[in-house]
């Protein structure tokens, strides 16, 4: 286990990183505004589950393989971009109307899976973990893989707290807007546009 002061410093930096604008928190913001608090929190849990995989990959050294392989990086980023384009299409064609706010909310499983896929299909997260976590590992203490797991857990807690707060705020804000058909349309098209932008950014990204 890393030293407590190291964990505290890492946790503080992680919170700041989670609050900085990026694909994942923007994704949570729009999904919460469009589908409600429960849906947004489901997405957050999905994203955190994806972080489990990234943490394990760093601990086992698999992330280094993805980072070193141009083919693996390209395949993963194109898959992520395609998924974001699909989400954009879904947002553009989403129905609007005065009774939409009373409709059946998106299911937990569906939104949770969106979060998992969103996180795992972004190779930049893998490379970020590969570059970020080892900086807080004290190799003189031994148990490098275990230290990485502890740091990954701290990052997941930071993500859960910050993204959860974003989900609650966005859901409250979106609930008021959902009473207006015009606002629903703006939200849907705004989300679709953002998803397309994120897809383009991911597709042209470099390692």
């Amino acid at each position: 286990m890393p030293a407590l002061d190291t964990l505290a410093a890492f946790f503080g930096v992680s919170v700041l990183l989670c609050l900085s604008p990026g694909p994942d928190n923007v994704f949570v913001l729009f999904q919460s505004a469009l589908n409600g608090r429960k849906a947004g929190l489901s997405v957050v849990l999905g994203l955190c589950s994806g972080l489990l995989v990234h943490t394990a990959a760093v601990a086992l050294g698999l992330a280094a393989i993805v980072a070193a392989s141009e083919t693996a990086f390209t395949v993963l980023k194109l898959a992520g971009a395609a998924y974001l384009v699909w989400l954009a299409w879904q947002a553009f064609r989403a129905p609007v109307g005065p009774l939409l706010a009373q409709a059946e909310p998106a299911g937990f499983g569906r939104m949770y899976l969106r979060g998992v896929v969103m996180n795992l299909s972004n190779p930049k997260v893998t490379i970020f973990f590969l570059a970020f976590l080892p900086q807080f590992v004290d190799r003189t203490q031994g148990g490098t893989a275990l230290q990485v797991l502890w740091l990954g857990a701290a990052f997941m807690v930071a993500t859960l707290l910050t993204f959860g707060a974003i989900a609650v705020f966005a859901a409250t804000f979106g609930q008021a807007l959902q009473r207006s058909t015009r606002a629903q349309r703006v939200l849907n098209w705004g989300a679709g546009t953002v998803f397309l932008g994120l897809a383009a950014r991911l597709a042209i990204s470099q390692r």
Side-chain angles (χ1 to χ4, degrees):
M1 175 180 176
L4 290 179
D5 57 340
T6 300
L7 269 179
F10 178 81
F11 182 81
V13 173
S14 298
V15 169
L16 292 177
L17 288 170
C18 290
L19 289 174
S20 63
D24 285 352
N25 51 24
V26 170
F27 185 70
V28 171
L29 181 71
F30 274 103
Q31 291 295 341
S32 301
L34 290 169
N35 298 297
R37 181 183 306 175
K38 183 180 293 186
L41 292 175
S42 300
V43 171
V44 173
L45 291 176
L47 291 170
C48 289
S49 297
L51 293 177
L52 280 171
V53 177
H54 289 295
T55 301
V58 173
L60 295 172
L62 299 178
I65 298 175
V66 175
S69 171
E70 185 68 35
T71 299
F73 180 85
T74 300
V75 169
L76 198 55
K77 77 173 184 178
L78 291 179
Y83 180 66
L84 285 168
V85 169
W86 180 79
L87 290 178
W89 170 247
Q90 293 290 100
F92 285 139
R93 63 192 294 268
V96 296
L99 297 179
L100 185 61
Q102 303 174 13
E104 182 73 18
F108 169 84
R110 177 184 174 190
M111 303 308 295
Y112 173 82
L113 185 59
R114 283 191 177 188
V116 173
V117 174
M118 175 70 182
N119 189 268
L120 293 182
S121 61
N122 187 353
K124 304 295 283 188
V125 177
T126 299
I127 294 176
F128 165 77
F129 260 56
L130 186 62
F132 185 58
L133 266 66
Q135 297 181 42
F136 291 84
V137 172
D138 185 356
R139 290 176 174 80
T140 63
Q141 291 186 6
T144 299
L146 186 58
Q147 290 185 60
V148 167
L149 293 177
W150 273 102
L151 293 170
F155 192 87
M156 279 181 275
V157 172
T159 301
L160 183 64
L161 293 176
T162 53
F163 283 17
I166 291 172
V168 172
F169 169 79
T172 302
F173 178 71
Q175 188 175 22
L177 292 180
Q178 290 287 6
R179 299 189 183 97
S180 165
T181 299
R182 182 178 181 181
Q184 291 171 30
R185 188 173 290 110
V186 169
L187 275 176
N188 288 335
W189 278 84
T193 302
V194 168
F195 291 152
L196 282 179
L198 293 174
R201 180 181 175 184
L202 181 58
I204 65 176
S205 65
Q206 302 296 321
R207 287 184 294 168

